[in-house]
């Protein structure tokens, strides 16, 4: 039901870990050497900063896009911070080109749903019309 461009591109670090597939989970690192920075944050930063990737600018944040406090930034490699850490994508490379393709795809999906709803309404109307009329004598 998105009506316009996505303005808040925020996702949880745990979600990014599942997308990357090669990174250990936060719980795996917690149960082993607790090197969150080396095993999760640095590899994730490398992915987010990739010159061939889609992301132009990003930052670490809290759930609703709030900036991290100085203390949180200083302790970003700790379990207490990383378990609630999010990535906020500020800008994408060639965002307009990406959005044009996304709008076209969304338009096709919307047209298909509208067509399906119209077909259903037509079928319901035909079925109701085909029902026998009640007897006036009854």
């Amino acid at each position: 039901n998105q009506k316009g461009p996505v303005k808040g591109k925020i996702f949880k670090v745990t979600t990014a870990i599942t997308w990357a597939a090669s990174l250990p989970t936060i719980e795996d690192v917690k149960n082993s050497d607790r090197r969150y920075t080396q095993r999760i944050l640095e590899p994730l930063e490398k992915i987010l900063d990739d010159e061939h990737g889609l992301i132009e600018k990003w930052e670490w944040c809290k759930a609703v896009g709030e900036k991290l406090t100085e203390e949180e930034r200083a302790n970003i490699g700790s379990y207490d911070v990383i378990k609630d850490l999010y990535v906020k994508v500020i800008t994408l490379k060639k965002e307009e080109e990406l959005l044009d393709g996304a709008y076209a795809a969304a338009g096709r999906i919307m047209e298909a749903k509208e067509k399906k709803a119209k077909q259903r309404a037509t079928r319901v109307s035909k079925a109701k019309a085909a029902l026998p009329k009640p007897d006036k004598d009854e």
Side-chain angles (χ1 to χ4, degrees):
N1 293 331
Q2 184 74 29
K3 302 294 184 208
V6 176
K7 294 196 178 11
K9 302 167 195 109
I10 300 172
F11 50 91
K12 205 166 171 113
V13 165
T14 53
T15 302
I17 289 169
T18 61
W19 291 340
S22 62
L23 298 176
T25 67
I26 292 171
E27 293 304 315
D28 287 344
V29 176
K30 180 182 178 187
N31 294 329
S32 65
D33 58 11
R34 294 182 173 252
R35 293 182 3 201
Y36 302 105
T37 302
Q38 293 86 5
R39 295 188 59 202
I40 296 173
L41 297 178
E42 288 174 358
L44 191 53
E45 286 175 351
K46 187 175 179 180
I47 292 168
L48 294 168
D49 290 334
D50 188 324
E51 68 180 84
H52 301 292
L54 295 174
I55 297 172
E56 187 171 318
K57 188 174 179 185
W58 66 275
E59 66 185 10
W60 301 118
C61 71
K62 298 179 190 177
V64 290
E66 293 177 35
K67 294 194 178 282
L68 298 176
T69 65
E70 288 298 322
E71 184 181 339
E72 289 167 329
R73 267 191 238 119
N75 295 310
I76 199 163
S78 72
Y79 178 77
D80 290 337
V81 175
I82 197 171
K83 70 181 175 59
D84 297 320
L85 191 61
Y86 285 73
V87 174
K88 178 181 180 183
V89 176
I90 299 166
T91 55
L92 296 173
K93 296 173 186 170
K94 301 180 183 178
E95 188 167 9
E96 285 305 315
E97 291 176 28
L98 293 171
L99 287 175
D100 285 345
Y103 288 143
R108 281 193 299 275
I109 292 167
M110 292 167 67
E111 286 172 353
K113 285 182 178 180
E114 289 168 358
K115 183 178 177 182
K116 197 171 187 177
K118 187 176 178 182
Q119 285 176 335
R120 185 179 186 337
T122 302
R123 289 176 183 148
V124 168
S125 175
K126 283 182 182 180
K128 285 181 179 179
L131 288 174
K133 305 291 183 219
D135 249 350
K136 292 181 183 179
D137 294 338
E138 293 178 14

